[in-house]
Amino acid sequence: MTTGQGTEALTARVHKSLHRARTGVRKAGVDYFRGDGSDRFALAVLLLAIPALAAGTLGWPEWIAPTALVLPVIAGGLLLRPANLLILYAASAAALVVEAALFGPYDEGPERITPGTVLVVAAAGFAGLLIAQFRSRVGVPWRRGGTMLFDLRERIRVQSTLPALPEGWHHEMALRPAGGQFFSGDFVVASRTHGGRILEVVLTDVSGKGMDAASRALLLSGAFGGLLGSLPPHGFLPAANGYLLRQDWDEGFATSIHLVLDLESGDYELLSAGHLPALQLSAGSGRWEEKPGEGPLLGVFDGARFDPVKGTLRPGDVLMLFTDGLVESAERDITEGIDRLTGEADRYVASGFAGAAWHLIEAVAKDVNDDRALLLICRDA
């Protein structure tokens, strides 16, 4: 082998070693943010905390009680994987044994290690192990779980935001999940199509309520948002129905109402999948008129047909879409609920409906343990 060839081989080996190092660093970074091995630093810190606490207990028992060992045990339950958590528990048990041996029998002084101390530490350890097992099964690190839920909540909020309307139109919308939670089985998706001339809005009520329905609502809102505007208006509900049927959920039905509104003429079509009728306020008569569409629930049977009902929003008219949580409860039927809703809405006819959606929910269904959604489409006089 010549000197030049040897130099080239050495250079190739160096490049190969550097490539391996870069790959290892990158993989370690990916593993960290995914949660694999990301608890090693936490484990090291907690393992160092245990002898520090034990030494503090031996030196200043009146300030650092033996039960202080529950602090790293609880932190470990939130931060560590089950395998590393057992290592932490072994260190905690060893610290208790050393403290008990150096303090002597527990009945010779108040600072001794009593059976109650052992039970408290053991109970905290058992609770921490249950939490760690749950996190391991879910596959989400504890410190990232809250961030992920916050991100999901924000995505739901953004998906439920209606597009800006042209001059002469405005909308009001309010969503109120059951039990004061942030996740709801009711959701809205909307889009402006045909160069912005057509507004399509879909209000959906997934079976169940609150957190029980929120995961399915999140999945459906993403799917419905992708379908809306990608299909002709009359093709949306059949496609949504087929999507639900393919999911094969045990409790997989939903109601939905699809509004297709021409923002130039005010003409609209409503297509309903087992949903409550829309309500239209006529500025000329001052009366609310029901606009019931014909169609079965989504996700019940294949080949369902959804027949539209047509109407026109003239200047000063208002169209109201809502879910059953707003008008139905154990104390009243839907007819009474609709009468109460329209009665409260009449208060805003003279002054306008700005901010009315939130106030209407407060007035007619403030303490109802169900998801509630209300949408108002108003054409200015």
Side-chain angles (χ1 to χ4, degrees):
M1 179 182 295
T2 64
T3 304
Q5 290 176 332
T7 303
E8 290 178 0
L10 178 61
T11 302
R13 286 196 298 269
V14 170
H15 286 169
K16 189 174 182 180
S17 299
L18 290 175
H19 176 72
R20 284 178 183 163
R22 286 196 302 269
T23 302
V25 171
R26 185 167 61 249
K27 183 177 183 300
V30 171
D31 287 345
Y32 180 85
F33 287 107
R34 285 181 176 174
D36 290 342
S38 63
D39 60 352
R40 292 175 183 169
F41 178 74
L43 175 62
V45 171
L46 293 175
L47 285 175
L48 291 175
I50 288 175
L53 288 173
T57 300
L58 294 173
W60 305 278
E62 65 277 7
W63 288 101
I64 304 177
T67 51
L69 287 173
V70 300
L71 298 176
V73 167
I74 293 173
L78 296 174
L79 297 174
L80 303 181
R81 291 177 293 170
N84 288 341
L85 190 59
L86 295 178
I87 298 174
L88 182 71
Y89 288 175
S92 301
L96 278 176
V97 170
V98 171
E99 290 178 1
L102 294 178
F103 275 135
Y106 72 88
D107 56 354
E108 292 186 3
E111 75 278 4
R112 303 299 193 261
I113 305 300
T114 66
T117 302
V118 177
L119 288 176
V120 168
V121 176
F126 179 73
L129 187 60
L130 291 179
I131 295 173
Q133 290 285 4
F134 175 76
R135 288 189 294 101
S136 178
R137 185 175 63 180
V138 173
V140 178
W142 171 78
R143 64 185 178 279
R144 296 287 296 172
T147 303
M148 185 186 72
L149 290 175
F150 177 80
D151 182 60
L152 290 177
R153 189 189 76 178
E154 289 303 298
R155 288 178 184 272
I156 292 174
R157 185 185 62 80
V158 170
Q159 285 181 167
S160 298
T161 301
L162 271 68
L165 299 183
E167 185 178 356
W169 295 89
H170 74 275
H171 56 71
E172 300 288 335
M173 187 181 70
L175 290 172
R176 187 75 63 85
Q181 302 173 18
F182 289 106
F183 297 93
S184 173
D186 297 347
F187 65 88
V188 174
V189 292
S191 176
R192 288 180 63 179
T193 59
H194 296 80
R197 183 175 63 88
I198 302 297
L199 173 67
E200 293 191 55
V201 180
V202 177
L203 174 60
T204 302
D205 182 358
V206 178
S207 58
K209 59 187 177 183
M211 292 296 292
D212 295 334
S215 58
R216 284 175 286 135
L218 179 64
L219 178 63
L220 290 182
S221 65
F224 286 10
L227 292 173
L228 193 66
S230 302
L231 297 170
H234 288 193
F236 173 80
L237 286 182
N241 182 58
Y243 179 81
L244 255 73
L245 288 171
R246 290 192 297 272
Q247 303 313 303
D248 196 25
W249 290 329
D250 293 335
E251 191 180 2
F253 66 89
T255 70
S256 193
I257 188 166
H258 180 196
L259 169 67
V260 185
L261 173 63
D262 189 323
L263 294 171
E264 294 182 356
S265 66
D267 295 335
Y268 68 82
E269 286 188 344
L270 282 169
L271 300 100
S272 176
H275 202 83
L276 294 173
L279 297 172
Q280 180 177 348
L281 172 67
S282 173
S285 65
R287 295 180 179 178
W288 292 92
E289 179 186 357
E290 291 189 8
K291 296 289 184 177
E294 296 293 331
L297 299 168
L298 295 178
V300 175
F301 61 88
D302 199 6
R305 292 185 56 186
F306 306 93
D307 298 323
V309 59
K310 298 183 179 181
T312 301
L313 287 178
R314 298 175 177 84
D317 286 3
V318 178
L319 189 66
M320 183 189 300
L321 310 179
F322 51 92
T323 57
D324 60 1
L326 204 63
V327 296
E328 185 180 21
S329 67
E331 293 78 21
R332 65 181 183 222
D333 60 21
I334 292 178
T335 302
E336 294 176 354
I338 291 177
D339 289 342
R340 183 180 177 187
L341 176 61
T342 54
E344 290 291 336
D346 285 338
R347 300 172 183 266
Y348 297 90
V349 174
S351 60
F353 285 84
W358 187 86
H359 291 289
L360 284 173
I361 293 180
E362 282 285 300
V364 303
K366 179 179 180 180
D367 299 319
V368 174
N369 188 28
D370 197 358
D371 300 322
R372 292 140 291 168
L374 177 66
L375 172 64
L376 297 165
I377 304 292
C378 308
R379 188 172 188 182
D380 299 336

